[in-house]
Amino acid sequence: MNRKIVFRAAVASLLLTVTAACGSGSSGSSSSASGKAYKIAFIQGVSGDAFYITMQCGVQAEAKAEGVTVTTQGPQKFDPTLQTPILQSVIASKPDAILIAPTDVSSMQQPIAQAKANGIKVVLVDTTVQDPSVAVSAIASDNSGGGKAAFDAVKKLAPKGGKVLVVGVQPGISTTDARDKGFADAAKADPAFTYLGVQYSQNDPAKAASIVSAALQKDPDIVGIFASNLFSAEGTATGVRQAGKQNKVKIIGFDAGPDQVKALKDGTVQALIAQQPATIGSDGIQQAVKALKGESTTASIKTGFTIVTKDNLNSAAGKAAVYKAGC
């Protein structure tokens, strides 16, 4: 056979192979009208947290449905000094969009604005910043309403009233600030209860336990404690247990991680205010993809919550509300 004919046939075969491979696309990736595959980065508030793991599950499921590629990472602690370099590294990798749970309303404003300045679409998930207009959408639970619901739960469990305390995380976190205030406003409005204020655990269960131990020594007649995040609830349960007050102090936790559910089953915690992290994650992907396609987005989305007790834990709603340890 003529060598030129053989060469031309080989080239044609190679071109067909390349065309087929390009047309098939890679798993979990999608192309825009211009043919560019969408790459989205999800930056958690803290890695290893059941809340953010569950959110990651929602992110991954929706990313698969949308056909986009997602990478996930987060700091070891809920700390802007640890989250900022992660965000800067992600910006340098030039994703099309970033989903991020800011670890501080002030400190994370400028780093997130840098992402926008680099042409990256930003979606705020769970937490926010002082000026959320830097993002195409901000998605979070109705945290103020969740705080009020926590007080309503205490009121139901301690109908005669009494002293109540909040164990928060740290000032400057939009979500927990709103929860703390929602509880405080409701408690102050009820003359049957005495609000003892909020003390901060700095996201450290051991410190939360220490706070509760000291508070119960000072005010042994405390009837209820609202722990406004997962780690605060874990430490509060430990502090109450160490003080031997399991049957006297009613604990309302925010979030429904494995440790909180165990405490609920054991009777140390009487109710959990469970968020919908998977929904926050899936909504975040949806808003990011809409922005990338040039479609209109929703500036603010509020997701609901479920009040989980020992009585409804094994119901369909109760089981669905429990956070996941892995996807």
Side-chain angles (χ1 to χ4, degrees):
M1 183 180 290
N2 188 293
R3 290 182 179 180
K4 290 184 178 180
I5 294 175
V6 172
F7 176 77
R8 288 171 182 169
V11 171
S13 176
L14 178 61
L15 287 173
L16 285 171
T17 301
V18 172
T19 301
C22 292
S24 64
S26 62
S27 176
S29 67
S30 162
S31 296
S32 65
S34 63
K36 180 183 178 183
Y38 292 145
K39 296 185 297 181
I40 299 177
F42 171 39
I43 303 177
Q44 302 165 312
V46 59
S47 64
D49 183 319
F51 174 83
Y52 287 112
I53 291 172
T54 307
M55 188 184 296
Q56 180 183 353
C57 295
V59 165
Q60 291 177 346
E62 191 62 29
K64 184 177 180 180
E66 292 282 358
V68 301
T69 299
V70 175
T71 58
T72 300
Q73 56 185 308
Q76 294 300 309
K77 292 184 179 180
F78 199 90
D79 186 335
T81 63
L82 299 178
Q83 190 182 49
T84 297
I86 292 174
L87 173 58
Q88 291 172 335
S89 176
V90 168
I91 292 171
S93 72
K94 299 180 179 179
D96 298 293
I98 294 174
L99 271 63
I100 183 170
T103 50
D104 187 87
V105 292
S106 300
S107 300
M108 296 307 300
Q109 182 76 54
Q110 191 278 329
I112 291 173
Q114 182 184 352
K116 181 182 179 181
N118 278 267
I120 300 170
K121 304 295 184 184
V122 176
V123 177
L124 305 177
V125 288
D126 181 38
T127 47
T128 188
V129 288
Q130 288 178 334
D131 180 10
S133 66
V134 71
V136 298
S137 183
I139 306 159
S141 304
D142 177 9
N143 287 285
S144 179
K148 182 182 182 301
F151 175 73
D152 289 341
V154 170
K155 188 174 180 177
K156 185 176 181 180
L157 293 164
K160 294 182 180 179
K163 297 177 181 177
V164 292
L165 172 72
V166 174
V167 178
V169 186
Q170 62 191 42
I173 301 174
S174 60
T175 50
T176 51
D177 283 350
R179 295 170 202 166
D180 298 347
K181 187 176 186 303
F183 183 94
D185 289 347
K188 291 174 183 177
D190 192 323
F193 288 85
T194 301
Y195 176 62
L196 298 177
V198 56
Q199 296 189 49
Y200 298 105
S201 69
Q202 306 299 323
N203 231 24
D204 182 350
K207 186 167 185 178
S210 178
I211 287 170
V212 170
S213 295
L216 288 172
Q217 286 181 358
K218 181 181 178 182
D219 293 287
D221 54 343
I222 289 174
V223 299
I225 300 175
F226 172 44
S228 60
N229 88 331
L230 188 148
F231 294 120
S232 296
E234 179 183 339
T236 295
T238 299
V240 169
R241 185 171 59 252
Q242 289 174 344
K245 296 277 189 178
Q246 295 97 317
N247 298 322
K248 296 180 180 179
V249 180
K250 310 302 181 183
I251 302 174
I252 310 301
F254 208 102
D255 287 322
D259 290 336
Q260 283 63 56
V261 171
K262 182 179 184 302
L264 184 66
K265 290 178 178 178
D266 293 344
T268 305
V269 172
Q270 282 66 52
L272 300 172
I273 310 299
Q275 302 181 75
Q276 297 175 352
T279 300
I280 294 174
S282 61
D283 284 353
I285 290 292
Q286 289 174 12
Q287 294 300 307
V289 171
K290 283 184 177 182
L292 291 169
K293 290 181 177 179
E295 299 174 3
S296 61
T297 58
T298 304
S300 178
I301 298 175
K302 295 294 183 185
T303 57
F305 51 84
T306 303
I307 298 176
V308 183
T309 65
K310 203 170 184 178
D311 292 337
N312 70 357
L313 180 60
N314 291 322
S315 68
K319 290 178 180 178
V322 174
Y323 300 169
K324 297 179 180 180
C327 302

